């Protein structure tokens, strides 16, 4: 046995005992007559002491120690003369009687402590050292606790955890596939699953009734803070259910995980139709921790000679409570903020509703106080508040205003990470029109069922058809989404047709699903939660990278093992592949 206790375990009650610990040297403080060594493992830090009474042999061994050496240390537990209230083992220390260096270490490229001096790139390159830090490890422990809670809940509810293959035929979830060449099938490729969507539907045809899996999914998309090329879903499917049953089950799952892991109790989740979310929040993932709703003032703002507004398709405003006192500088800063390419507004108009009841705006030339009062009434603005107005093409402006709302929410401290506000966004459109390719795309995926009452619109006005699709949103983050599925082959064939698949293409890509549907598919519905996002929300982090043990960087690279990387000529030959030389022009 290498150790009798961990480095986080010893307390006053152990005083007088002889113990053996093993771990990494965090820090050495040499005061001549006395040397202190902080010994660290996953469980904590314990102070080791070497003083005049320590044997020469042990003292000599200690002189060789450096940061991150792995050692085994034996000694007596003593009460400390000056206690450290900041750590759980701060009442005691170990006077060494034996010291065994298990493995020396080179000087690490950054210090292994909560506030490290290592930059992001360096930490990622040496992720195994980064993971020694409490701050990072605690996120992964949280992740494990959450996965455990999810499994407990779903298993108790009768869900069967079932693995589905990773080498598959492409499943359309709206992103590009990662593909894997097949050595045994010359010139053919597998795709890595963007999700187990088709397999879980087949499990319903198979009568599994309730399926779940905590599963890796792969999507070749541009990356952001909340996206990785491989990520994890809590993936679920249920038979003989309606939308309501799915929402109830997964609302309960969410509440269970919050309660068991964070000890946070949540009220029942409100429901918001997609159109309302877009209109009031400028987003299909509204942050409802604060109000500041978007208000359209197109009608009242037009026709006063202000050209920019007169030519705008949409004019919208938000009211920032208590911000009438914003300085020129603050307003200029916000204007610059909305003009950034990511937001893309051309400019911003403001109205200050001063405490004395007067109204001043950046467009005073065109609008009288009476005009501005109408905007104030429309936006619920009172003396002391500030109105901010954006205008332009409708969808784009609503989006930009939604972003501005979030930014103001940040600046005004309305988005506390300890305040969790979940909701269901429901009634998503079934289809999305793509101007570039001039065709419809499935907003969720091609297996999503239209609302029964909207089915007649599929022929006349497909863009207006609403889906039985839903998203769980918490604090402005899309945690998951799902839908009631089409289980009728004729309707499914119609959907493929609307999405521009020829019958041959549909047969080629989804033939096995369509075949399965011929043998008695039950009504079914499902959902998937983005597990990484849920963990980062619980951890109070903005990036999902910090809740993944070995993440990729923004260019999709693993900088630790330096992948992706070229493969050898032999491997290429075996796979019948040739790399095209970049064309020189
Ligand atoms: N497969 C879907 C997704 O990954 C979720 C679902 O519809 O169940 O978004």
């Amino acid at each position: 046995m290498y150790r009798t206790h961990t480095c986080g375990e010893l307390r006053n009650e152990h005083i007088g005992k002889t113990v053996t610990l093993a771990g990494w040297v965090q820090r050495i403080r040499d005061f001549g007559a006395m040397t202190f060594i902080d010994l660290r493992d996953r469980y904590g830090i314990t102070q080791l002491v070497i003083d005049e009474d320590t044997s020469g042999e042990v003292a000599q061994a200690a002189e060789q120690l450096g940061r991150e050496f792995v050692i085994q240390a034996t000694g007596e537990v003593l009460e400390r003369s000056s206690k450290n209230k900041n750590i759980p083992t701060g009442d005691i220390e170990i006077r060494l009687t034996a010291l065994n260096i298990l493995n020396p270490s080179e000087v690490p490229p950054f210090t292994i402590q909560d506030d490290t001096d290592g930059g992001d790139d360096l930490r990622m390159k040496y992720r195994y050292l980064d993971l020694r830090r409490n701050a990072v490890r605690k996120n992964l422990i949280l992740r494990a606790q959450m996965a455990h809670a999810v499994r407990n809940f779903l298993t108790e509810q009768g869900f069967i955890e079932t693995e589905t293959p990773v080498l598959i035929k492409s499943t359309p979830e709206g992103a590009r596939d990662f593909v894997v060449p097949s050595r045994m099938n010359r010139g053919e490729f597998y795709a890595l699953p963007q999700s187990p969507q088709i397999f879980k539907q087949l499990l319903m045809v198979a009568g599994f009734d309730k399926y779940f899996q905590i599963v890796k999914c792969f999507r070749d998309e541009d990356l952001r803070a909340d996206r990785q090329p491989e990520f994890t879903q809590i993936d679920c499917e249920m038979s003989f259910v309606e939308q309501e049953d799915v929402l109830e089950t997964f609302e309960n799952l969410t509440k269970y995980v919050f309660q068991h892991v964070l000890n946070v109790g949540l009220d029942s989740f409100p429901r918001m139709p997609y159109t309302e979310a877009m209109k009031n929040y400028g987003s299909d993932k509204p942050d409802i921790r604060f109000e500041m709703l978007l208000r359209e003032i197109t009608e009242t703002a037009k026709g006063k000679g202000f050209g920019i507004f007169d030519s705008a398709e949409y004019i919208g405003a938000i009211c920032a409570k208590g911000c009438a006192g914003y300085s020129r500088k603050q307003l200029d800063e916000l204007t610059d903020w909305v003009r950034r390419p990511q937001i893309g507004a051309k400019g911003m108009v403001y109205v200050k509703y001063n405490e004395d009841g007067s109204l001043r705006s950046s467009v005073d030339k065109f609008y009288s106080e009476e005009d501005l009062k109408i905007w104030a009434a429309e936006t619920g603005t009172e003396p002391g508040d500030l109105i901010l107005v954006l205008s332009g093409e409708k969808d784009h402006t609503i989006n930009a205003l939604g972003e501005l709302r979030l930014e103001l929410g940040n600046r005004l401290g309305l988005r506390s990470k300890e305040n969790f506000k979940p909701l269901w966004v429901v009634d998503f459109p079934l289809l999305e029109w793509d101007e570039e390719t001039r065709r419809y795309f499935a907003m969720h995926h091609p297996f999503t069922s239209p609302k029964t009452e909207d089915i007649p619109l599929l022929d006349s006005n497909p863009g207006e058809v609403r889906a039985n699709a839903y998203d769980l949103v918490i604090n402005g983050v899309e945690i998951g989404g799902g839908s009631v599925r089409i289980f009728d082959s004729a309707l499914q064939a119609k959907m493929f047709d609307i999405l521009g698949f020829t019958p041959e293409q549909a047969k080629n890509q989804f033939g096995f699903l369509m075949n399965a549907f011929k043998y008695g598919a039950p009504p079914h519905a499902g959902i998937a939660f983005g597990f990484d996002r849920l963990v980062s929300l619980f951890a109070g982090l903005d990036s999902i990278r910090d809740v993944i043990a070995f993440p990729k960087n923004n260019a999709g690279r693993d900088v630790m093992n330096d992948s992706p990387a070229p493969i050898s000529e032999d491997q290429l030959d075996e796979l019948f592949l040739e790399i095209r030389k970049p064309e020189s022009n």
Side-chain angles (χ1 to χ4, degrees), residues 112-162:
I112 314 289
Q113 59 194 32
D114 288 0
D115 294 318
T116 182
D117 51 3
D120 228 31
D121 291 347
L122 203 58
R123 291 197 294 110
M124 287 304 147
K125 178 150 186 227
Y126 297 93
R127 183 64 163 172
Y128 43 89
L129 296 180
D130 197 31
L131 289 170
R132 286 185 190 167
R133 296 167 56 231
N134 283 323
V136 187
R137 188 185 44 241
K138 99 176 183 293
N139 297 332
L140 288 155
I141 293 174
L142 174 74
R143 184 181 179 112
Q145 287 168 340
M146 291 174 68
H148 187 72
V150 167
R151 284 207 165 87
N152 268 350
F153 178 87
L154 291 174
T155 306
E156 260 167 41
Q157 298 286 317
F159 282 78
I160 307 175
E161 186 169 5
T162 312

Side-chain angles (χ1 to χ4, degrees), residues 61-112:
E63 269 168 31
Q64 298 167 38
L65 295 180
R67 278 201 282 142
E68 301 308 314
F69 273 49
V70 185
I71 62 170
Q72 183 184 35
T74 301
E76 191 190 343
V77 183
L78 304 180
E79 184 175 4
R80 277 207 216 181
S81 48
S82 68
K83 303 203 165 31
N84 180 351
K85 293 277 160 247
N86 298 323
I87 57 171
T89 61
D91 283 350
I92 57 95
E93 61 193 4
I94 317 272
R95 183 190 284 141
L96 289 193
T97 52
L99 176 61
N100 180 10
I101 299 181
L102 298 171
N103 217 342
S105 169
E106 288 189 15
V107 176
F110 51 86
T111 53
I112 314 289

Side-chain angles (χ1 to χ4, degrees), residues 76-257:
E76 191 190 343
V77 183
L78 304 180
E79 184 175 4
R80 277 207 216 181
S81 48
S82 68
K83 303 203 165 31
N84 180 351
K85 293 277 160 247
N86 298 323
I87 57 171
T89 61
D91 283 350
I92 57 95
E93 61 193 4
I94 317 272
R95 183 190 284 141
L96 289 193
T97 52
L99 176 61
N100 180 10
I101 299 181
L102 298 171
N103 217 342
S105 169
E106 288 189 15
V107 176
F110 51 86
T111 53
I112 314 289
Q113 59 194 32
D114 288 0
D115 294 318
T116 182
D117 51 3
D120 228 31
D121 291 347
L122 203 58
R123 291 197 294 110
M124 287 304 147
K125 178 150 186 227
Y126 297 93
R127 183 64 163 172
Y128 43 89
L129 296 180
D130 197 31
L131 289 170
R132 286 185 190 167
R133 296 167 56 231
N134 283 323
V136 187
R137 188 185 44 241
K138 99 176 183 293
N139 297 332
L140 288 155
I141 293 174
L142 174 74
R143 184 181 179 112
Q145 287 168 340
M146 291 174 68
H148 187 72
V150 167
R151 284 207 165 87
N152 268 350
F153 178 87
L154 291 174
T155 306
E156 260 167 41
Q157 298 286 317
F159 282 78
I160 307 175
E161 186 169 5
T162 312
E163 286 167 84
T164 51
V166 171
L167 297 175
I168 67 161
K169 194 167 181 171
S170 150
T171 309
E173 295 272 0
R176 286 190 194 88
D177 289 322
F178 284 102
V179 294
V180 180
S182 162
R183 179 183 58 81
M184 290 195 285
N185 302 275
R186 187 192 276 223
E188 293 186 318
F189 295 80
Y190 301 102
L192 302 183
Q194 295 188 31
S195 86
Q197 183 62 36
I198 293 186
F199 289 98
K200 64 176 175 174
Q201 293 194 237
L202 291 172
L203 288 171
M204 295 304 107
V205 177
F208 272 44
D209 196 69
K210 287 175 173 177
Y211 142 93
F212 93 97
Q213 185 180 192
I214 299 184
V215 62
K216 271 285 170 78
C217 300
F218 307 85
R219 297 185 191 178
D220 188 1
E221 332 179 70
D222 294 339
L223 304 177
R224 298 190 302 239
D226 62 349
R227 268 201 203 149
Q228 284 272 305
E230 51 178 309
F231 59 96
T232 306
Q233 283 190 344
I234 306 167
D235 191 45
C236 306
E237 197 77 7
M238 303 166 82
S239 289
F240 304 113
V241 289
E242 289 167 340
Q243 170 163 321
E244 198 50 45
D245 304 302
V246 178
L247 298 194
E248 191 189 306
T249 306
F250 291 93
E251 183 162 325
N252 286 337
L253 167 69
T254 310
K255 285 179 179 165
Y256 179 91
V257 182

Side-chain angles (χ1 to χ4, degrees), residues 25 27-39 46-66 71-76 78 93-101:
V25 173
R27 199 157 72 118
I28 306 164
R29 282 162 297 148
D30 185 352
F31 296 111
M34 278 185 134
T35 301
F36 295 102
I37 300 164
D38 283 349
L39 188 65
T46 300
Q47 175 165 294
L48 314 176
V49 233
I50 293 166
D51 58 19
E52 295 104 39
D53 298 338
T54 312
S55 78
E57 199 189 329
V58 170
Q60 262 171 16
E63 269 168 31
Q64 298 167 38
L65 295 180
I71 62 170
Q72 183 184 35
T74 301
E76 191 190 343
L78 304 180
E93 61 193 4
I94 317 272
R95 183 190 284 141
L96 289 193
T97 52
L99 176 61
N100 180 10
I101 299 181

